Amino acid sequence: MKLYISADMEGTAAVCSWEQCDPDNLTEYPYYRHLMSLEVRAAIDGARQAGVTDVLVNDSHSSMRNILWNELPHDVRMVYGNRKPFSMTQGLTPEFGAAFFTGYHAPAGERDGTLEHTYTPSTIYNVRVNGTRCSEATLNAALAGAYGVPVVLITGDQAAVNSVKSQMPWVTGVVVKESIGKFATDSMSPEAARAAIHKGAADAIGRLKDARPFTFEPPLTLEIDFVLTEQADFVELVPGFERVDGRTVRFKNDDYPSLFRAFVAAFRLGSAANIR
Ligand SMILES: [Zn+2]
C-alpha cells in the first residue's frame, strides 16, 4: 500500500515559537527541523511495521525545505520546495491508500492552540467551506477525500488533534504536547513523542478499514475572511470570486480540487497585497 505524508512543523513536540520554525533563524531552527525530520521518520517506520510499502512525503512547512534527507529511509521519495500548485497536498493522487498529517497545528482563531493559523497568518483570518470553519487539516483532508483517500493519522498539540477528530472521528490522534496559549506548551520529550508517533502510525494503518474519505457535499462554497481589506481587494479582481464584504470573498465550484486551487491562488494573491 502507498502512504502519503503531509508534514508540517508547528505541531512537532517541544515547538512553541515562530523562531523555532523559521528557516532564516540560524540558532533555533536547525535543531527543531531535526526534531521535525525525526518525527516524520517515526511515522514512516510505524507505518511500515504495519504493512505500508511505498511512502511519499510532502514537506509542507514554510519554504517546504525543512526535512533533512539523511534522516529518512533511502527509498522514500519527498516533494520538496515551494511554490507548489497544491501546496500542502502536492503529489496526492487516488493511488494512495491512506494519508498522514504530521506536525499539524490548530486553525486560525482557535483558543489555546500553539502557533494557531491557517496557511498564511498575515493573510488568512478564517476559511469556511459550506459554512464549516476549516483548519489546514480540514482543507487538505477534503482534497484527499476528493480522491477517495482517507486521512488516518494526525500528530500535533491537543487543539490540532481535537479539531481533526471532531470532523473525522476515525483518525488516530497522537497528542505530543498540550498547548498553553499560542507561544507555550507542556510537551512530551522529543524521544517520547517519536515513540508515540511510531505506535500511532502502526495503529492507524491497522485500523484503516474503519477510516473513510472526508468530503464536503456539493454544492461547494468557499469563503475566505482576510486579515486586511486590501487583500480582499486583490482577490476580488479574479473572475469567479465574489466580494461578500470588507474582508470576505466567496468562490463556488463543485469540483473540490478546483476549489482548493482557488484557495491557494487567493492566499498567494492576497499575500501580494502585504508588499508595500
Ligand atoms: Zn507550518
Side-chain angles (χ1 to χ4, degrees):
M1 192 196 65
K2 291 184 69 166
L3 172 68
Y4 181 89
I5 302 179
S6 174
D8 204 351
M9 185 169 188
E10 290 88 345
T12 303
V15 167
C16 60
S17 80
W18 294 126
E19 288 78 7
Q20 292 164 342
C21 304
D22 176 3
D24 291 331
N25 182 294
L26 300 178
T27 53
E28 295 191 72
Y29 171 76
Y31 174 68
Y32 288 92
R33 78 185 295 196
H34 181 65
L35 297 187
M36 174 197 185
S37 305
L38 293 178
E39 288 197 2
V40 174
R41 172 71 193 240
I44 293 168
D45 290 347
R48 285 193 157 165
Q49 195 176 64
V52 163
T53 49
D54 297 338
V55 180
L56 179 68
V57 176
N58 179 17
D59 191 321
S60 295
H61 172 73
S62 184
S63 63
M64 302 190 170
R65 305 190 309 270
N66 306 282
I67 297 168
L68 298 162
W69 287 88
N70 62 0
E71 300 293 359
L72 299 189
H74 66 91
D75 55 345
V76 163
R77 294 184 68 91
M78 181 152 60
V79 174
Y80 215 53
N82 215 357
R83 315 278 193 237
K84 300 174 279 203
F86 282 89
S87 191
M88 300 179 81
T89 62
Q90 187 68 38
L92 184 44
T93 65
E95 291 174 21
F96 290 92
F100 286 179
F101 293 165
T102 60
Y104 268 47
H105 51 80
E110 184 78 10
R111 184 178 171 177
D112 289 342
T114 302
L115 303 179
E116 47 80 13
H117 68 280
T118 304
Y119 273 87
T120 48
S122 55
T123 304
I124 302 291
Y125 186 82
N126 202 3
V127 186
R128 291 173 299 280
V129 174
N130 289 1
T132 299
R133 182 176 71 143
C134 292
S135 63
E136 293 175 8
T138 321
L139 292 163
N140 301 342
L143 194 279
Y147 297 142
V149 179
V151 176
V152 296
L153 180 77
I154 168 95
T155 76
D157 68 11
Q158 91 289 351
V161 169
N162 291 345
S163 74
V164 166
K165 287 186 69 80
S166 70
Q167 293 177 318
M168 297 165 242
W170 58 84
V171 172
T172 298
V174 179
V175 176
V176 298
K177 58 189 175 185
E178 303 285 330
S179 46
I180 308 168
K182 186 155 180 172
F183 297 116
T185 72
D186 172 350
S187 180
M188 295 171 84
S189 71
E191 196 170 351
R194 294 196 288 273
I197 291 168
H198 185 285
K199 180 179 184 307
D203 289 350
I205 297 299
R207 293 171 45 205
L208 184 57
K209 63 177 186 335
D210 300 330
R212 57 182 195 271
F214 174 78
T215 54
F216 287 105
E217 207 52 44
L220 302 178
T221 301
L222 169 73
E223 287 180 314
I224 305 170
D225 304 333
F226 290 100
V227 173
L228 304 172
T229 55
E230 58 262 42
Q231 293 160 343
D233 290 344
F234 272 38
V235 175
E236 181 199 5
L237 296 172
V238 182
F241 277 94
E242 172 193 347
R243 186 72 170 259
V244 177
D245 61 27
R247 63 168 85 227
T248 303
V249 299
R250 182 182 293 148
F251 182 89
K252 295 182 178 182
N253 191 311
D254 288 350
D255 176 58
Y256 187 82
S258 299
L259 201 83
F260 187 91
R261 284 172 65 101
F263 171 68
V264 174
F267 77 70
R268 290 196 179 142
L269 183 57
S271 297
N274 301 351
I275 301 165
R276 306 285 168 189

